Amino acid sequence: EVQVVESGGGLVQPGGSLRLSCAASGFTFSVFWMSWVRQAPGKGLEWVANIKEDGSEKYYVDSVKGRFTISRDNAKKSLYLQMNSLRAEDTAVYYCARVEGYCSSTNCYKYFDYWGQGTLVTVSS
Amino acid sequence: EIVMTQSPATLSVSPGERATLSCRASQSVSSNLAWYQQKPGQAPRLLIYDASTRATGIPARFSGSGSGTEFTLTISSLQSEDFAVYYCQQYNNWPLYTFGQGTKLEIK
């Protein structure tokens, strides 16, 4: 059974840092892109970051560029999100998601097929 | 950025009836569109990808259609467990995913 389980959320002051983790099981972690998606309280879904199977490519939504870093450890089957310079607007449930689909020679077409239960990050003084 | 607009924001339907949810893209996304279901306190669940392909384990009463800029999610006969929030998401503009704002499907 495919599972992804997030951890590391909590309360942090504005300007602070937090590192989220996602433990994967039930599939070959090293052959899938992975993502973080967040959801502010009572709001919709927002994609945050993607990372390629081998970690060689990373992409971010503009609002977190320069502050968040996505990484992975394939030996540990784990995904991470290092969040620095946190702001109140970063308050959200953060979901880890497996990315499925394919890439052509010019583009990729990938969606989220499995999601974790999420971990809540609250940025407040 | 491709903007995804869902309508209506809230849809009230009786159990056993059909529900039709709409999603519009600000520019063509071809068939690179997914639908997700989210129940309160739960993670989103993939229902449909490539605009019309049901994900593993999704009942046949869920169907997706459309291409380009106009998409529809249809639930043919609503069951009690189907009342939830539904999101569409485009993945044509890789890797810059965007979601719609969601449609809440509630019991009439």
Side-chain angles (χ1 to χ4, degrees), chain A residues 6 37-46 92-95 115-119, chain B residues 6 21 35-47 58 62 73 75 80-88 99-106:
Chain A
E6 305 90 341
V37 179
R38 67 184 178 183
Q39 185 171 36
K43 302 297 184 183
L45 300 167
E46 180 184 40
V93 174
Y94 284 73
Y95 295 103
W115 301 60
Q117 286 302 302
T119 187
Chain B
Q6 291 185 241
L21 289 66
W35 289 94
Y36 302 88
Q37 176 194 66
Q38 187 178 34
K39 297 179 181 179
Q42 295 187 17
R45 177 175 71 146
L46 176 67
L47 297 175
I58 301 303
F62 291 91
L73 174 68
I75 311 171
S80 57
E81 62 266 29
D82 300 335
F83 292 96
V85 178
Y86 292 83
Y87 294 96
C88 63
F99 292 88
Q101 80 279 17
T103 289
K104 182 180 181 180
L105 181 57
E106 64 177 27

Side-chain angles (χ1 to χ4, degrees), chain B residues 1 14 23 51 90:
Chain B
E1 176 186 327
S14 300
C23 175
Q90 68 80 21

Side-chain angles (χ1 to χ4, degrees), chain A residues 39 50 95 108-110 112 116, chain B residues 32 36 38 43 91 94-95 97:
Chain A
Q39 185 171 36
N50 275 352
Y95 295 103
C108 289
Y109 305 97
K110 293 178 175 285
F112 309 116
Chain B
N32 298 306
Y36 302 88
Q38 187 178 34
Y91 49 95
W94 170 269
Y97 300 109

Side-chain angles (χ1 to χ4, degrees), chain B residues 26-105:
Chain B
S26 61
Q27 64 190 76
S28 176
V29 298
S30 187
S31 295
N32 298 306
L33 184 108
W35 289 94
Y36 302 88
Q37 176 194 66
Q38 187 178 34
K39 297 179 181 179
Q42 295 187 17
R45 177 175 71 146
L46 176 67
L47 297 175
I48 301 285
Y49 63 94
D50 293 348
S52 61
T53 303
R54 277 190 303 276
T56 303
I58 301 303
R61 64 180 181 273
F62 291 91
S63 63
S65 63
S67 66
T69 62
E70 300 285 343
F71 300 88
T72 300
L73 174 68
T74 301
I75 311 171
S76 59
S77 178
L78 279 164
Q79 308 296 305
S80 57
E81 62 266 29
D82 300 335
F83 292 96
V85 178
Y86 292 83
Y87 294 96
C88 63
Q89 176 232 336
Q90 68 80 21
Y91 49 95
N92 191 66
N93 190 27
W94 170 269
L96 303 179
Y97 300 109
T98 46
F99 292 88
Q101 80 279 17
T103 289
K104 182 180 181 180
L105 181 57

